[in-house]
Amino acid sequence: TVLITADGAAAVERLARRIHAASGRGSFPLVLVAAATLPSDAADLVEACAGLLDTARGGSLLLTDVEPDAKPE
């Protein structure tokens, strides 16, 4: 697990791609997902996350635009 903070999503994505490429997972997919696009309903969220993890199988999952102070509804 890596937390990347930077001014601007492009900088975060570039660094994440470099980390991913240099890791043992570099030959597998890097899946990028904007956190705001994830469903807020718990059941839908579980299903969405399962699908994303399946897509990234063996690779890495990057959640962008995560709000650190966000409270669950």
Side-chain angles (χ1 to χ4, degrees):
T1 303
V2 176
L3 173 63
I4 303 170
T5 59
D7 291 333
V12 170
E13 185 177 331
R14 278 194 308 272
L15 183 55
R17 287 185 182 282
R18 286 182 147 175
I19 292 170
H20 174 74
S23 76
R25 299 171 186 253
S27 62
F28 295 97
L30 171 61
V31 178
L32 291 89
V33 179
T37 65
L38 293 173
S40 58
D41 177 72
D44 291 339
L45 178 60
V46 168
E47 188 175 325
C49 287
L52 291 169
L53 291 172
D54 189 51
T55 301
R57 186 171 308 270
S60 302
L61 179 62
L62 172 63
L63 294 175
T64 61
D65 302 322
V66 176
E67 294 296 328
D69 297 327
K71 306 263 188 287
E73 293 179 12

